């Protein structure tokens, strides 16, 4: 119990909460400036998130991918690297799951499991490619990530058009029903919200991440490389192997997102003109969650519900999309800038001290 | 330490009370809009969901939204739009209208067809409409435009106006609806000028102005002097490139799409535009619902005959009368069915 208390009274939690409140307040000022009622808007947003079973289920559906992309970015951060290629790894995950789900026939459950494994592995290999390019050829991971995002996107177009095109539309054929991972009884209970087994796996992934990073030799290696890779090398660790492994794991987490989107949410893959952007949201989640499992869970819950609830602001309070995007960005900006909040807190503390002394 | 923690917590509490306090009363009062009391017929609630685009895109979505706003002005309908930010939000957005008992919900893009089909089957009492896709479900009205017929006519203009005998096309993505634009345009050129060479180019993007500009640059450098674009916002880049070249003294043209784009980009570079009357379709079919003639489960085709597609009325500024007369002849032949314009 004391441990729990300490966890929630810690300075980092205080800073995160304060930044969210500040973000909401400044967002409100922006809405007032634009002539919209911020209270009504925030209320509509809350209603959109908690208003009924369907919306609560769909808000959960929006949170799950952010947990995975948050973890994917965080694990690379821990090793001192920046994986902005999660978007591409998501595409490869979707593609792998779609190919197995659509082109191969198998009995239910086994089909879904094989599809999940295929998508996850493909995402992982796509991520490992970044690590290989970095260690063997010295290519900065940011550059190769950006390039591989587009490569993955257009590769998926090619494969879909060649093997799984749905005549007359701009998307692939659907997966077979046996590969679906939607939880039908739970979806029915939540008025048709798209709930899938990715939820359970998200919880498993969070616990596994915590355990792996803090309790195993491999997690220790990742952290050691992140703190000082020269020292890690001097201590006898195989740094390039750690880098490739980190990117493989990161890519696997990204690949899972794509897998669940195809098998649990859409059942098909669109020939989209851009990647989903979920990987980029993951950067904000990892930053706000400070790379910890619990932090990432809370940050993903916050961002996911904000993004989902934004539609409610437009519907209930007539706030135009542009203003909503601005308000959400302001909240994220403050949430992801705890340094500024810390500075503000210190300043008020210091001025209080000055008052007492003076 | 503890004090400031308390402060933060109380601030959050206060804030959430404020949120809860303002209650649903204010929600009702502001959402009613400006519905005039009189005027016959039912006052409908009509919603619209875009394809991740904006209702300010100066093209397709804007046109649909204008149709809805006209309904609000003319009959006092309650109209509202939602702009999903990603694919996953499409279904919740449609549901937002359907579950709030909107009389009609429009989806304004081909890419929304699977979502519309699903929602319509799950909610047999709801009415939905979709533009650019045929969804054969009993409670959905589908609108398909014969872009190929309108594009044929601007193809005739391009074929007769080109000096270099090279004509280009910039498309967004290679999807059926854009293919109809390309096919009609190609056939129109072929009908009047079989020697002209035709170069289509796809950017793969509807929202990348820079890619439109580089595509236009590529085509103009190859000697093309007229480009027809069907690429949404990407097309703004085509206009930008043409504008720079015209300023340098090159004689190049752009043919606009969806709306009369000469009003936006000027007559110096806009040869003509192929207009697609999305607003008209949305207006008419929504009104049909009020009158009890809603075309459930049917596909409404909007071609030259139905005046769903057309050549912009301002074309006479740049196109000589004899060419416009030719256009009229072809229009007659297409309407009478003597010419069948292919779709791919």
């Amino acid at each position: 119990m004391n441990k729990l208390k300490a966890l929630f009274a810690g300075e980092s939690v205080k800073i995160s909460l304060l930044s969210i409140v500040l973000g909401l307040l400044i967002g409100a000022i922006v809405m007032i400036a634009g002539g919209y009622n911020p209270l009504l808007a925030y209320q509509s947003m809350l209603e959109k998130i908690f208003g009924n079973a369907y919306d609560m289920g769909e808000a959960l559906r929006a949170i799950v991918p952010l947990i995975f992309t948050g973890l994917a970015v965080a694990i690379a951060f821990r090793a001192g690297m920046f994986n902005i290629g999660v978007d591409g790894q998501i595409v490869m995950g979707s593609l792998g799951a779609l190919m197995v789900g659509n082109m191969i026939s198998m009995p239910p459950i086994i089909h879904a499991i094989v599809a999940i494994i295929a998508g996850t592995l493909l995402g992982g290999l796509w991520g490992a490619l970044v690590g290989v390019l970095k260690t063997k050829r010295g290519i900065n991971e940011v550059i190769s990530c950006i390039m591989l995002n587009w490569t993955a996107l257009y590769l998926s177009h090619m494969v879909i058009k060649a093997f799984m095109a749905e005549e007359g539309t701009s998307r692939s054929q659907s997966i077979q029903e046996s590969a679906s991972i939607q939880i039908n009884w739970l979806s029915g209970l939540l008025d048709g919200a798209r709930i899938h087994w990715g939820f359970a796996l998200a919880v498993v992934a969070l616990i596994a991440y915590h355990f792996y990073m803090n309790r195993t030799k491999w997690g220790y290696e990742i952290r050691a490389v992140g703190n000082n890779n020269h020292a890690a090398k001097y201590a006898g660790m195989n740094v390039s192997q750690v880098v490739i492994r980190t990117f493989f794991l990161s890519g696997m987490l990204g690949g899972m997102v794509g897998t669940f989107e195809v098998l649990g949410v859409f059942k098909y893959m669109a020939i989209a003109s851009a990647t989903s952007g979920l990987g980029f949201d993951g950067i904000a989640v990892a930053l706000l969650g400070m790379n910890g499992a619990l932090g990432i869970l809370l940050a993903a819950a916050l961002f996911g519900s904000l993004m989902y609830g934004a539609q409610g602001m437009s519907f209930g309070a007539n706030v135009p999309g542009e203003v909503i995007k601005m308000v959400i960005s302001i909240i994220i900006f403050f949430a992801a800038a705890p340094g500024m909040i810390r500075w503000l807190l210190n300043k008020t503390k210091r001025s209080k001290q000055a008052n007492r002394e003076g | 330490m503890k004090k400031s923690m308390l402060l933060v917590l109380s601030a959050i509490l206060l804030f959430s009370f404020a949120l809860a306090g303002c209650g649903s009363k204010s929600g009702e009062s502001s959402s009613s809009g400006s519905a005039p009391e009189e005027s016959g017929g039912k006052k409908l609630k009509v919603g619209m969901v875009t394809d991740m685009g904006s209702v300010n895109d100066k093209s397709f979505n804007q046109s649909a939204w204008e149709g809805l706003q006209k309904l609000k002005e003319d009959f006092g309908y309650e109209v509202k739009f939602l702009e999903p930010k990603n694919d996953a939000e499409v279904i919740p957005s449609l549901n937002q209208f359907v579950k709030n008992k909107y009389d009609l919900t429009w989806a304004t893009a081909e890419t929304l067809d699977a979502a519309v089909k699903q929602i319509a089957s799950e909610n047999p009492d709801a009415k939905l409409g979709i533009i650019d896709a045929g969804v054969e479900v009993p409670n959905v009205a589908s609108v398909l435009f014969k872009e190929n017929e309108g594009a044929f006519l601007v193809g005739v203009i391009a074929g007769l106006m080109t000096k270099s005998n090279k004509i280009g096309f910039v498309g967004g993505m290679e999807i059926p609806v854009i293919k109809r634009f390309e096919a009609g345009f190609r056939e129109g050129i072929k009908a009047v000028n079989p020697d002209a060479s035709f170069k289509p180019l796809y950017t793969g993007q509807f929202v990348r102005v820079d890619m439109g500009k580089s595509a236009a640059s590529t085509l103009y450098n190859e000697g093309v002097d007229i480009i027809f674009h069907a690429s949404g916002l990407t097309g703004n880049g085509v206009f930008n490139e043409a504008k720079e070249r015209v300023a340098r003294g090159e004689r190049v043209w752009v043919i606009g799409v969806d709306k009369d784009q000469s009003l936006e980009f000027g007559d110096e570079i806009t040869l003509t535009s192929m207009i697609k009357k999305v607003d008209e379709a949305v207006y008419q079919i929504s009104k049909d619902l009020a009158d009890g003639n809603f075309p459930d489960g049917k596909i409404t085709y909007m071609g030259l005959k139905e005046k769903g597609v057309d050549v912009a009325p301002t074309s006479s500024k740049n196109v000589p009368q004899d060419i416009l007369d030719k256009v009229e002849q072809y229009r007659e032949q297409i309407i009478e069915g003597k010419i069948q314009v292919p779709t791919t």
Side-chain angles (χ1 to χ4, degrees), chain B residues 48 61-71 259 279 283:
Chain B
M48 161 183 160
N61 289 311
Q62 189 169 353
S63 185
W65 180 234
E66 280 168 3
L68 286 190
Q69 278 177 314
K70 195 153 176 286
L71 285 166
K259 294 176 63 131
D279 50 344
Y283 181 89

Side-chain angles (χ1 to χ4, degrees), chain A:
Chain A
M1 193 61 210
N2 270 337
K3 214 174 170 187
L4 198 73
K5 215 184 230 170
L7 197 64
F8 280 97
E11 204 195 15
S12 54
V13 175
K14 197 163 60 179
I15 287 170
S16 296
L17 284 179
L18 193 62
S19 26
I20 293 163
V21 172
L22 255 180
L24 287 171
L25 282 177
I26 295 190
I29 294 170
V30 169
M31 279 191 270
I32 292 172
Y36 304 98
N37 181 352
L39 289 178
L40 178 64
Y42 284 138
Q43 190 211 341
S44 315
M45 185 164 92
L46 287 177
E47 261 173 31
K48 175 80 184 170
I49 304 166
F50 301 110
N52 55 50
Y54 176 78
D55 282 329
M56 277 165 79
E58 280 288 329
L60 275 180
R61 192 266 309 140
I63 290 167
V64 167
L66 294 179
I67 293 176
F68 282 106
T69 55
L71 287 175
V73 175
I75 196 168
F77 270 153
R78 281 284 186 92
M81 292 175 302
F82 194 27
N83 182 7
I84 62 168
V86 178
D87 257 22
Q89 291 140 21
I90 293 174
V91 171
M92 294 310 285
S94 292
L95 190 62
L98 178 74
M99 283 166 73
V100 172
N102 173 268
M103 292 169 28
I104 304 172
S105 288
M106 263 183 256
I109 302 181
I110 296 173
H111 197 179
I113 291 172
V114 173
I116 291 175
I117 291 173
T120 308
L121 271 182
L122 203 55
L125 291 174
W126 201 251
L129 188 57
V130 176
V132 171
L133 287 171
K134 184 180 170 70
T135 51
K136 301 285 184 262
R137 285 283 171 270
I139 300 170
N140 187 307
E141 76 270 20
V142 172
I143 294 172
S144 51
C145 276
I146 297 175
M147 294 302 151
L148 285 173
N149 280 350
W150 291 106
T151 314
L153 180 70
Y154 291 117
L155 183 65
S156 78
H157 290 187
M158 238 173 71
V159 174
I160 292 172
K161 278 180 189 160
F163 301 111
M164 293 168 284
E166 176 96 328
E167 233 11 81
T169 66
S170 50
R171 58 165 185 278
S172 74
Q173 293 161 358
S174 294
I175 56 163
Q176 295 167 22
E177 208 34 56
S178 53
S180 165
I181 57 165
Q182 196 160 354
I183 310 177
N184 287 325
W185 58 271
L186 197 54
S187 282
L189 220 60
L190 294 176
D191 213 3
R194 292 163 291 177
I195 306 281
H196 53 78
W197 284 109
F199 287 80
L201 285 170
V203 177
V204 173
L206 280 166
I207 296 168
Y209 172 79
H210 183 78
F211 184 77
Y212 184 84
M213 291 312 286
N214 300 310
R215 294 275 184 279
T216 67
K217 170 183 149 233
W218 307 292
Y220 178 76
E221 281 178 349
I222 290 177
R223 285 183 290 144
V225 169
N227 285 333
N228 186 334
N229 61 0
H230 297 296
K233 195 170 183 185
Y234 191 70
M237 291 176 195
N238 186 346
V239 173
S240 41
Q241 194 224 335
V242 173
V243 167
I244 294 172
R245 169 154 43 93
T246 308
F247 263 103
F248 180 66
L249 290 172
S250 185
M252 271 172 62
L253 289 161
M256 280 186 203
V257 175
T259 305
F260 300 145
E261 296 287 285
V262 165
L263 300 178
V265 179
F266 292 112
K267 310 283 169 72
Y268 60 82
M269 202 174 158
I271 301 179
S273 61
T275 51
S276 62
L278 285 167
F280 293 93
D281 297 335
I283 297 171
V285 170
L287 280 175
L288 179 62
M290 285 177 281
N291 299 333
L294 182 67
I296 287 171
L297 173 65
L298 294 175
L302 175 75
F303 284 171
S305 33
L306 274 181
M307 285 167 188
Y308 183 73
Q311 290 272 302
M313 290 168 80
S314 152
F315 189 82
N318 287 323
V319 183
E322 288 81 358
V323 175
I324 293 172
K325 272 180 211 153
M326 216 155 87
V327 171
I328 301 280
S329 316
I330 289 169
I331 295 173
I332 292 179
F333 174 79
F334 273 95
M340 196 164 59
I341 310 289
R342 202 169 288 143
W343 176 76
L344 269 173
L345 273 179
N346 282 340
K347 210 169 179 193
T348 49
K349 224 179 261 173
R350 228 173 282 149
S351 69
K352 260 187 213 157
Q353 268 170 5
N355 281 344
R356 235 176 279 151
E357 283 159 12

Side-chain angles (χ1 to χ4, degrees), chain B residues 273-287:
Chain B
S273 297
M274 191 215 108
I275 48 181
K276 183 168 159 182
K277 293 176 183 166
V278 181
D279 50 344
E280 201 66 36
V282 167
Y283 181 89
Q284 193 53 45
I285 291 178
S286 305
K287 207 164 136 293

